[in-house]
PDB file of all heavy atoms in Angstrom:
ATOM      1  N   LYS A 143     -14.593  20.568 -36.747  1.00 91.00           N
ATOM      2  CA  LYS A 143     -13.609  20.393 -37.827  1.00 91.00           C
ATOM      3  C   LYS A 143     -12.277  21.076 -37.522  1.00 91.00           C
ATOM      4  O   LYS A 143     -11.270  20.759 -38.145  1.00 91.00           O
ATOM      5  CB  LYS A 143     -14.162  20.917 -39.153  1.00 91.00           C
ATOM      6  CG  LYS A 143     -15.203  20.010 -39.761  1.00 91.00           C
ATOM      7  CD  LYS A 143     -15.703  20.554 -41.085  1.00 91.00           C
ATOM      8  CE  LYS A 143     -16.778  19.645 -41.653  1.00 91.00           C
ATOM      9  NZ  LYS A 143     -17.328  20.176 -42.904  1.00 91.00           N
ATOM     10  N   GLN A 144     -12.258  21.993 -36.566  1.00 91.00           N
ATOM     11  CA  GLN A 144     -11.014  22.658 -36.185  1.00 91.00           C
ATOM     12  C   GLN A 144     -10.150  21.776 -35.277  1.00 91.00           C
ATOM     13  O   GLN A 144      -8.979  22.069 -35.057  1.00 91.00           O
ATOM     14  CB  GLN A 144     -11.309  23.989 -35.489  1.00 91.00           C
ATOM     15  CG  GLN A 144     -11.952  25.013 -36.403  1.00 91.00           C
ATOM     16  CD  GLN A 144     -12.283  26.299 -35.683  1.00 91.00           C
ATOM     17  OE1 GLN A 144     -11.541  26.735 -34.806  1.00 91.00           O
ATOM     18  NE2 GLN A 144     -13.392  26.917 -36.052  1.00 91.00           N
ATOM     19  N   LEU A 145     -10.750  20.701 -34.753  1.00 90.00           N
ATOM     20  CA  LEU A 145     -10.003  19.770 -33.899  1.00 90.00           C
ATOM     21  C   LEU A 145      -9.158  18.836 -34.762  1.00 90.00           C
ATOM     22  O   LEU A 145      -9.446  18.638 -35.941  1.00 90.00           O
ATOM     23  CB  LEU A 145     -10.973  18.925 -33.069  1.00 90.00           C
ATOM     24  CG  LEU A 145     -11.851  19.646 -32.053  1.00 90.00           C
ATOM     25  CD1 LEU A 145     -12.893  18.689 -31.483  1.00 90.00           C
ATOM     26  CD2 LEU A 145     -11.008  20.227 -30.938  1.00 90.00           C
ATOM     27  N   LYS A 146      -8.149  18.230 -34.145  1.00 91.00           N
ATOM     28  CA  LYS A 146      -7.353  17.212 -34.830  1.00 91.00           C
ATOM     29  C   LYS A 146      -8.273  16.038 -35.166  1.00 91.00           C
ATOM     30  O   LYS A 146      -9.240  15.778 -34.435  1.00 91.00           O
ATOM     31  CB  LYS A 146      -6.212  16.737 -33.933  1.00 91.00           C
ATOM     32  CG  LYS A 146      -5.138  17.775 -33.715  1.00 91.00           C
ATOM     33  CD  LYS A 146      -4.037  17.231 -32.831  1.00 91.00           C
ATOM     34  CE  LYS A 146      -2.975  18.296 -32.607  1.00 91.00           C
ATOM     35  NZ  LYS A 146      -1.928  17.836 -31.691  1.00 91.00           N
ATOM     36  N   PRO A 147      -7.976  15.306 -36.247  1.00 92.00           N
ATOM     37  CA  PRO A 147      -8.844  14.189 -36.664  1.00 92.00           C
ATOM     38  C   PRO A 147      -9.154  13.174 -35.566  1.00 92.00           C
ATOM     39  O   PRO A 147     -10.288  12.702 -35.473  1.00 92.00           O
ATOM     40  CB  PRO A 147      -8.059  13.535 -37.811  1.00 92.00           C
ATOM     41  CG  PRO A 147      -7.250  14.661 -38.386  1.00 92.00           C
ATOM     42  CD  PRO A 147      -6.886  15.532 -37.205  1.00 92.00           C
ATOM     43  N   ALA A 148      -8.186  12.859 -34.726  1.00 90.00           N
ATOM     44  CA  ALA A 148      -8.429  11.876 -33.651  1.00 90.00           C
ATOM     45  C   ALA A 148      -9.487  12.390 -32.676  1.00 90.00           C
ATOM     46  O   ALA A 148     -10.308  11.616 -32.172  1.00 90.00           O
ATOM     47  CB  ALA A 148      -7.133  11.577 -32.917  1.00 90.00           C
ATOM     48  N   TYR A 149      -9.469  13.698 -32.401  1.00 91.00           N
ATOM     49  CA  TYR A 149     -10.456  14.287 -31.496  1.00 91.00           C
ATOM     50  C   TYR A 149     -11.823  14.390 -32.184  1.00 91.00           C
ATOM     51  O   TYR A 149     -12.860  14.179 -31.549  1.00 91.00           O
ATOM     52  CB  TYR A 149     -10.003  15.652 -30.995  1.00 91.00           C
ATOM     53  CG  TYR A 149      -8.760  15.602 -30.135  1.00 91.00           C
ATOM     54  CD1 TYR A 149      -7.819  16.606 -30.182  1.00 91.00           C
ATOM     55  CD2 TYR A 149      -8.532  14.544 -29.265  1.00 91.00           C
ATOM     56  CE1 TYR A 149      -6.672  16.562 -29.385  1.00 91.00           C
ATOM     57  CE2 TYR A 149      -7.403  14.482 -28.476  1.00 91.00           C
ATOM     58  CZ  TYR A 149      -6.470  15.502 -28.534  1.00 91.00           C
ATOM     59  OH  TYR A 149      -5.360  15.446 -27.743  1.00 91.00           O
ATOM     60  N   GLN A 150     -11.820  14.706 -33.467  1.00 91.00           N
ATOM     61  CA  GLN A 150     -13.075  14.742 -34.225  1.00 91.00           C
ATOM     62  C   GLN A 150     -13.754  13.378 -34.161  1.00 91.00           C
ATOM     63  O   GLN A 150     -14.965  13.276 -33.974  1.00 91.00           O
ATOM     64  CB  GLN A 150     -12.813  15.090 -35.696  1.00 91.00           C
ATOM     65  CG  GLN A 150     -12.379  16.507 -35.952  1.00 91.00           C
ATOM     66  CD  GLN A 150     -12.134  16.755 -37.439  1.00 91.00           C
ATOM     67  OE1 GLN A 150     -12.776  16.157 -38.293  1.00 91.00           O
ATOM     68  NE2 GLN A 150     -11.202  17.645 -37.724  1.00 91.00           N
ATOM     69  N   GLU A 151     -12.941  12.340 -34.318  1.00 92.00           N
ATOM     70  CA  GLU A 151     -13.462  10.975 -34.351  1.00 92.00           C
ATOM     71  C   GLU A 151     -14.165  10.608 -33.046  1.00 92.00           C
ATOM     72  O   GLU A 151     -15.283  10.087 -33.065  1.00 92.00           O
ATOM     73  CB  GLU A 151     -12.322   9.994 -34.632  1.00 92.00           C
ATOM     74  CG  GLU A 151     -12.768   8.555 -34.727  1.00 92.00           C
ATOM     75  CD  GLU A 151     -11.619   7.605 -35.031  1.00 92.00           C
ATOM     76  OE1 GLU A 151     -10.477   7.879 -34.596  1.00 92.00           O
ATOM     77  OE2 GLU A 151     -11.878   6.593 -35.699  1.00 92.00           O
ATOM     78  N   VAL A 152     -13.542  10.898 -31.899  1.00 91.00           N
ATOM     79  CA  VAL A 152     -14.170  10.511 -30.630  1.00 91.00           C
ATOM     80  C   VAL A 152     -15.418  11.343 -30.336  1.00 91.00           C
ATOM     81  O   VAL A 152     -16.381  10.824 -29.794  1.00 91.00           O
ATOM     82  CB  VAL A 152     -13.185  10.542 -29.437  1.00 91.00           C
ATOM     83  CG1 VAL A 152     -12.127   9.463 -29.587  1.00 91.00           C
ATOM     84  CG2 VAL A 152     -12.557  11.887 -29.224  1.00 91.00           C
ATOM     85  N   ILE A 153     -15.409  12.617 -30.713  1.00 89.00           N
ATOM     86  CA  ILE A 153     -16.617  13.451 -30.550  1.00 89.00           C
ATOM     87  C   ILE A 153     -17.745  12.880 -31.399  1.00 89.00           C
ATOM     88  O   ILE A 153     -18.888  12.726 -30.935  1.00 89.00           O
ATOM     89  CB  ILE A 153     -16.334  14.927 -30.941  1.00 89.00           C
ATOM     90  CG1 ILE A 153     -15.354  15.588 -29.970  1.00 89.00           C
ATOM     91  CG2 ILE A 153     -17.624  15.721 -31.085  1.00 89.00           C
ATOM     92  CD1 ILE A 153     -15.937  16.046 -28.660  1.00 89.00           C
ATOM     93  N   GLN A 154     -17.427  12.560 -32.652  1.00 90.00           N
ATOM     94  CA  GLN A 154     -18.416  11.993 -33.579  1.00 90.00           C
ATOM     95  C   GLN A 154     -19.004  10.693 -33.023  1.00 90.00           C
ATOM     96  O   GLN A 154     -20.218  10.506 -33.002  1.00 90.00           O
ATOM     97  CB  GLN A 154     -17.739  11.752 -34.940  1.00 90.00           C
ATOM     98  CG  GLN A 154     -18.553  10.948 -35.931  1.00 90.00           C
ATOM     99  CD  GLN A 154     -19.696  11.715 -36.525  1.00 90.00           C
ATOM    100  OE1 GLN A 154     -19.713  12.928 -36.531  1.00 90.00           O
ATOM    101  NE2 GLN A 154     -20.686  11.003 -37.020  1.00 90.00           N
ATOM    102  N   MET A 155     -18.134   9.822 -32.562  1.00 91.00           N
ATOM    103  CA  MET A 155     -18.583   8.517 -32.078  1.00 91.00           C
ATOM    104  C   MET A 155     -19.445   8.642 -30.815  1.00 91.00           C
ATOM    105  O   MET A 155     -20.472   7.978 -30.695  1.00 91.00           O
ATOM    106  CB  MET A 155     -17.372   7.618 -31.803  1.00 91.00           C
ATOM    107  CG  MET A 155     -16.610   7.243 -33.063  1.00 91.00           C
ATOM    108  SD  MET A 155     -15.016   6.489 -32.700  1.00 91.00           S
ATOM    109  CE  MET A 155     -15.515   4.806 -32.448  1.00 91.00           C
ATOM    110  N   ARG A 156     -19.009   9.490 -29.888  1.00 88.00           N
ATOM    111  CA  ARG A 156     -19.711   9.593 -28.603  1.00 88.00           C
ATOM    112  C   ARG A 156     -21.035  10.356 -28.723  1.00 88.00           C
ATOM    113  O   ARG A 156     -22.050   9.930 -28.184  1.00 88.00           O
ATOM    114  CB  ARG A 156     -18.799  10.282 -27.571  1.00 88.00           C
ATOM    115  CG  ARG A 156     -19.417  10.441 -26.205  1.00 88.00           C
ATOM    116  CD  ARG A 156     -19.575   9.135 -25.501  1.00 88.00           C
ATOM    117  NE  ARG A 156     -20.101   9.372 -24.163  1.00 88.00           N
ATOM    118  CZ  ARG A 156     -20.722   8.457 -23.462  1.00 88.00           C
ATOM    119  NH1 ARG A 156     -20.864   7.246 -23.929  1.00 88.00           N
ATOM    120  NH2 ARG A 156     -21.178   8.747 -22.269  1.00 88.00           N
ATOM    121  N   TYR A 157     -21.017  11.484 -29.410  1.00 84.00           N
ATOM    122  CA  TYR A 157     -22.181  12.371 -29.372  1.00 84.00           C
ATOM    123  C   TYR A 157     -23.085  12.293 -30.598  1.00 84.00           C
ATOM    124  O   TYR A 157     -24.260  12.648 -30.514  1.00 84.00           O
ATOM    125  CB  TYR A 157     -21.732  13.810 -29.120  1.00 84.00           C
ATOM    126  CG  TYR A 157     -21.054  13.919 -27.782  1.00 84.00           C
ATOM    127  CD1 TYR A 157     -19.675  14.044 -27.680  1.00 84.00           C
ATOM    128  CD2 TYR A 157     -21.780  13.810 -26.610  1.00 84.00           C
ATOM    129  CE1 TYR A 157     -19.044  14.098 -26.442  1.00 84.00           C
ATOM    130  CE2 TYR A 157     -21.169  13.856 -25.375  1.00 84.00           C
ATOM    131  CZ  TYR A 157     -19.805  13.996 -25.304  1.00 84.00           C
ATOM    132  OH  TYR A 157     -19.192  14.033 -24.074  1.00 84.00           O
ATOM    133  N   PHE A 158     -22.566  11.829 -31.726  1.00 85.00           N
ATOM    134  CA  PHE A 158     -23.411  11.724 -32.908  1.00 85.00           C
ATOM    135  C   PHE A 158     -23.836  10.277 -33.154  1.00 85.00           C
ATOM    136  O   PHE A 158     -24.950  10.025 -33.589  1.00 85.00           O
ATOM    137  CB  PHE A 158     -22.711  12.315 -34.140  1.00 85.00           C
ATOM    138  CG  PHE A 158     -22.543  13.810 -34.046  1.00 85.00           C
ATOM    139  CD1 PHE A 158     -21.362  14.364 -33.566  1.00 85.00           C
ATOM    140  CD2 PHE A 158     -23.573  14.665 -34.408  1.00 85.00           C
ATOM    141  CE1 PHE A 158     -21.206  15.741 -33.459  1.00 85.00           C
ATOM    142  CE2 PHE A 158     -23.425  16.039 -34.303  1.00 85.00           C
ATOM    143  CZ  PHE A 158     -22.246  16.571 -33.829  1.00 85.00           C
ATOM    144  N   GLN A 159     -22.951   9.338 -32.858  1.00 87.00           N
ATOM    145  CA  GLN A 159     -23.300   7.925 -33.003  1.00 87.00           C
ATOM    146  C   GLN A 159     -23.744   7.310 -31.673  1.00 87.00           C
ATOM    147  O   GLN A 159     -24.176   6.167 -31.630  1.00 87.00           O
ATOM    148  CB  GLN A 159     -22.105   7.139 -33.559  1.00 87.00           C
ATOM    149  CG  GLN A 159     -21.706   7.577 -34.949  1.00 87.00           C
ATOM    150  CD  GLN A 159     -20.457   6.871 -35.441  1.00 87.00           C
ATOM    151  OE1 GLN A 159     -20.061   5.825 -34.923  1.00 87.00           O
ATOM    152  NE2 GLN A 159     -19.815   7.427 -36.446  1.00 87.00           N
ATOM    153  N   GLU A 160     -23.584   8.081 -30.578  1.00 87.00           N
ATOM    154  CA  GLU A 160     -23.995   7.678 -29.233  1.00 87.00           C
ATOM    155  C   GLU A 160     -23.409   6.331 -28.816  1.00 87.00           C
ATOM    156  O   GLU A 160     -24.076   5.486 -28.235  1.00 87.00           O
ATOM    157  CB  GLU A 160     -25.519   7.678 -29.107  1.00 87.00           C
ATOM    158  CG  GLU A 160     -26.119   9.053 -29.338  1.00 87.00           C
ATOM    159  CD  GLU A 160     -27.634   9.097 -29.186  1.00 87.00           C
ATOM    160  OE1 GLU A 160     -28.264   8.030 -29.050  1.00 87.00           O
ATOM    161  OE2 GLU A 160     -28.170  10.204 -29.215  1.00 87.00           O
ATOM    162  N   MET A 161     -22.124   6.145 -29.113  1.00 89.00           N
ATOM    163  CA  MET A 161     -21.431   4.913 -28.738  1.00 89.00           C
ATOM    164  C   MET A 161     -20.972   5.001 -27.285  1.00 89.00           C
ATOM    165  O   MET A 161     -20.699   6.081 -26.781  1.00 89.00           O
ATOM    166  CB  MET A 161     -20.218   4.698 -29.655  1.00 89.00           C
ATOM    167  CG  MET A 161     -20.600   4.465 -31.114  1.00 89.00           C
ATOM    168  SD  MET A 161     -19.156   4.406 -32.207  1.00 89.00           S
ATOM    169  CE  MET A 161     -18.524   2.789 -31.827  1.00 89.00           C
ATOM    170  N   THR A 162     -20.873   3.841 -26.635  1.00 89.00           N
ATOM    171  CA  THR A 162     -20.323   3.794 -25.285  1.00 89.00           C
ATOM    172  C   THR A 162     -18.803   3.900 -25.394  1.00 89.00           C
ATOM    173  O   THR A 162     -18.224   3.708 -26.473  1.00 89.00           O
ATOM    174  CB  THR A 162     -20.683   2.469 -24.580  1.00 89.00           C
ATOM    175  OG1 THR A 162     -20.034   1.396 -25.268  1.00 89.00           O
ATOM    176  CG2 THR A 162     -22.188   2.247 -24.532  1.00 89.00           C
ATOM    177  N   TYR A 163     -18.156   4.152 -24.260  1.00 87.00           N
ATOM    178  CA  TYR A 163     -16.697   4.213 -24.262  1.00 87.00           C
ATOM    179  C   TYR A 163     -16.116   2.870 -24.709  1.00 87.00           C
ATOM    180  O   TYR A 163     -15.132   2.826 -25.446  1.00 87.00           O
ATOM    181  CB  TYR A 163     -16.161   4.574 -22.871  1.00 87.00           C
ATOM    182  CG  TYR A 163     -16.543   5.968 -22.435  1.00 87.00           C
ATOM    183  CD1 TYR A 163     -17.451   6.180 -21.410  1.00 87.00           C
ATOM    184  CD2 TYR A 163     -16.001   7.080 -23.061  1.00 87.00           C
ATOM    185  CE1 TYR A 163     -17.805   7.456 -21.017  1.00 87.00           C
ATOM    186  CE2 TYR A 163     -16.342   8.363 -22.672  1.00 87.00           C
ATOM    187  CZ  TYR A 163     -17.250   8.538 -21.648  1.00 87.00           C
ATOM    188  OH  TYR A 163     -17.593   9.805 -21.265  1.00 87.00           O
ATOM    189  N   GLN A 164     -16.718   1.776 -24.263  1.00 89.00           N
ATOM    190  CA  GLN A 164     -16.237   0.441 -24.622  1.00 89.00           C
ATOM    191  C   GLN A 164     -16.360   0.212 -26.126  1.00 89.00           C
ATOM    192  O   GLN A 164     -15.434  -0.304 -26.759  1.00 89.00           O
ATOM    193  CB  GLN A 164     -17.010  -0.630 -23.846  1.00 89.00           C
ATOM    194  CG  GLN A 164     -16.447  -2.029 -24.024  1.00 89.00           C
ATOM    195  CD  GLN A 164     -15.019  -2.144 -23.521  1.00 89.00           C
ATOM    196  OE1 GLN A 164     -14.690  -1.699 -22.428  1.00 89.00           O
ATOM    197  NE2 GLN A 164     -14.142  -2.746 -24.313  1.00 89.00           N
ATOM    198  N   GLU A 165     -17.488   0.583 -26.714  1.00 92.00           N
ATOM    199  CA  GLU A 165     -17.669   0.432 -28.164  1.00 92.00           C
ATOM    200  C   GLU A 165     -16.639   1.259 -28.928  1.00 92.00           C
ATOM    201  O   GLU A 165     -16.096   0.813 -29.943  1.00 92.00           O
ATOM    202  CB  GLU A 165     -19.090   0.860 -28.573  1.00 92.00           C
ATOM    203  CG  GLU A 165     -20.179  -0.069 -28.097  1.00 92.00           C
ATOM    204  CD  GLU A 165     -21.578   0.500 -28.259  1.00 92.00           C
ATOM    205  OE1 GLU A 165     -21.728   1.745 -28.354  1.00 92.00           O
ATOM    206  OE2 GLU A 165     -22.526  -0.295 -28.299  1.00 92.00           O
ATOM    207  N   MET A 166     -16.381   2.461 -28.421  1.00 91.00           N
ATOM    208  CA  MET A 166     -15.385   3.324 -29.065  1.00 91.00           C
ATOM    209  C   MET A 166     -14.006   2.675 -29.018  1.00 91.00           C
ATOM    210  O   MET A 166     -13.277   2.658 -30.015  1.00 91.00           O
ATOM    211  CB  MET A 166     -15.362   4.696 -28.387  1.00 91.00           C
ATOM    212  CG  MET A 166     -16.631   5.500 -28.603  1.00 91.00           C
ATOM    213  SD  MET A 166     -16.785   6.928 -27.492  1.00 91.00           S
ATOM    214  CE  MET A 166     -15.380   7.913 -27.965  1.00 91.00           C
ATOM    215  N   ALA A 167     -13.648   2.135 -27.857  1.00 91.00           N
ATOM    216  CA  ALA A 167     -12.337   1.499 -27.678  1.00 91.00           C
ATOM    217  C   ALA A 167     -12.178   0.325 -28.642  1.00 91.00           C
ATOM    218  O   ALA A 167     -11.121   0.145 -29.252  1.00 91.00           O
ATOM    219  CB  ALA A 167     -12.171   1.039 -26.236  1.00 91.00           C
ATOM    220  N   GLU A 168     -13.244  -0.457 -28.784  1.00 93.00           N
ATOM    221  CA  GLU A 168     -13.188  -1.611 -29.683  1.00 93.00           C
ATOM    222  C   GLU A 168     -13.074  -1.170 -31.140  1.00 93.00           C
ATOM    223  O   GLU A 168     -12.296  -1.738 -31.905  1.00 93.00           O
ATOM    224  CB  GLU A 168     -14.425  -2.492 -29.483  1.00 93.00           C
ATOM    225  CG  GLU A 168     -14.408  -3.218 -28.148  1.00 93.00           C
ATOM    226  CD  GLU A 168     -15.731  -3.850 -27.777  1.00 93.00           C
ATOM    227  OE1 GLU A 168     -16.685  -3.831 -28.601  1.00 93.00           O
ATOM    228  OE2 GLU A 168     -15.829  -4.362 -26.642  1.00 93.00           O
ATOM    229  N   GLN A 169     -13.829  -0.159 -31.526  1.00 93.00           N
ATOM    230  CA  GLN A 169     -13.807   0.283 -32.928  1.00 93.00           C
ATOM    231  C   GLN A 169     -12.461   0.907 -33.300  1.00 93.00           C
ATOM    232  O   GLN A 169     -11.932   0.658 -34.371  1.00 93.00           O
ATOM    233  CB  GLN A 169     -14.934   1.276 -33.212  1.00 93.00           C
ATOM    234  CG  GLN A 169     -14.978   1.658 -34.689  1.00 93.00           C
ATOM    235  CD  GLN A 169     -16.278   2.294 -35.085  1.00 93.00           C
ATOM    236  OE1 GLN A 169     -17.316   2.031 -34.510  1.00 93.00           O
ATOM    237  NE2 GLN A 169     -16.226   3.137 -36.103  1.00 93.00           N
TER     238      GLN A 169
END
Side-chain angles (χ1 to χ4, degrees):
K143 286 181 182 177
Q144 294 178 36
L145 296 171
K146 290 181 181 177
Y149 295 144
Q150 290 180 31
E151 182 179 32
V152 293
I153 293 281
Q154 170 74 21
M155 293 168 84
R156 180 70 177 158
Y157 298 105
F158 292 95
Q159 297 175 18
E160 299 181 352
M161 295 173 76
T162 66
Y163 294 110
Q164 188 61 47
E165 291 168 338
M166 293 166 63
E168 290 167 6
Q169 184 163 331

